[in-house]
């Protein structure tokens, strides 16, 4: 994601390469800060409370293989990185942190979790791939979680930094 123009220190939106350049948006107090120093250039800073970005429907996990990645700087031990809304199906968590900062995903209503814990106060590159049958997690470029499970249909929006219930 790349930032579009800003309003003070908050982005009005970002350009989303995943969905062909369509934008991700936020509004009002839900907009994260765009002034944080990132792993590469600048980063958005989500407060873990009410900051999030919304991307219009990107894909349904049942219709095509996908990969989603993020650089994360974990400040707490639980949180949603990317989660898809239900739409007319069942949206699930693509990437999140739980327990002792273990990366997890919930695809097909089954959870796969990394064995490695992400250290707080450090940048980590996290990723999920799903090919319709297998879900794989990666932490800092290394495979760290595998689950064989069919995915569920969802045409809902994708939230960055919030659950599908916007919490």
């Amino acid at each position: 994601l790349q930032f579009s123009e800003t309003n003070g220190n908050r982005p009005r939106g970002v350009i989303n390469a995943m969905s062909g350049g369509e934008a991700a948006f936020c509004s009002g107090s839900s907009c994260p800060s765009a002034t944080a120093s990132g792993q590469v250039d600048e980063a958005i800073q989500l407060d873990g409370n009410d900051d999030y970005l919304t991307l219009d429907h990107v894909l349904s996990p049942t219709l095509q293989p996908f990969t989603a990645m993020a650089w994360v700087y974990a400040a707490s031990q639980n949180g949603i990185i990317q989660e898809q809304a239900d739409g007319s199906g069942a949206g699930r968590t693509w990437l999140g942190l739980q327990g002792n900062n273990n990366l997890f995903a919930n695809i097909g209503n089954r959870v796969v979790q990394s064995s490695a814990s992400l250290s707080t106060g450090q940048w980590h590159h996290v990723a999920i791939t799903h090919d319709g049958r297998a879900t794989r997690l990666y932490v800092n470029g290394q495979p760290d979680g595998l689950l064989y499970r069919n995915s569920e249909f969802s045409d809902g929006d994708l939230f960055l930094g919030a659950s599908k219930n916007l919490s």
Side-chain angles (χ1 to χ4, degrees), residues 77-83 92-99 101-107 110-114 116 118 126-128 135 137 139 144:
Q77 294 190 346
N78 291 297
I80 299 298
I81 300 167
Q82 300 171 345
E83 185 163 293
R92 300 291 181 195
T93 303
W94 290 7
L95 290 171
L97 297 176
Q98 66 181 7
N101 261 9
N102 296 92
L103 184 68
F104 82 98
N106 179 348
I107 301 291
R110 293 263 319 270
V111 173
V112 58
Q113 180 173 299
S114 68
L118 277 64
V126 298
I128 177 176
T135 301
L137 298 178
V139 176
D144 194 1

Side-chain angles (χ1 to χ4, degrees), residues 14-137:
V14 293
I15 306 303
N16 172 20
M18 275 191 335
S19 61
E22 295 176 12
F25 292 98
C26 56
S27 62
S29 64
S30 75
C31 290
S33 170
T35 59
S37 177
Q39 178 66 13
V40 179
D41 296 324
E42 296 174 327
I44 57 171
Q45 184 172 353
L46 304 166
D47 66 8
N49 183 24
D50 60 359
D51 291 356
Y52 65 93
L53 293 172
T54 304
L55 286 75
D56 289 339
H57 171 69
V58 176
L59 61 86
S60 174
T62 59
L63 300 179
Q64 62 196 36
F66 74 92
T67 300
M69 299 176 278
W71 280 102
V72 296
Y73 188 88
S76 66
Q77 294 190 346
N78 291 297
I80 299 298
I81 300 167
Q82 300 171 345
E83 185 163 293
Q84 189 171 24
D86 293 337
S88 61
R92 300 291 181 195
T93 303
W94 290 7
L95 290 171
L97 297 176
Q98 66 181 7
N100 294 319
N101 261 9
N102 296 92
L103 184 68
F104 82 98
N106 179 348
I107 301 291
N109 203 23
R110 293 263 319 270
V111 173
V112 58
Q113 180 173 299
S114 68
S115 59
S117 295
L118 277 64
S119 304
T120 56
Q122 291 184 302
W123 285 100
H124 299 277
H125 188 262
V126 298
I128 177 176
T129 64
H130 184 74
D131 63 10
R133 200 181 104 183
T135 301
R136 293 174 174 83
L137 298 178

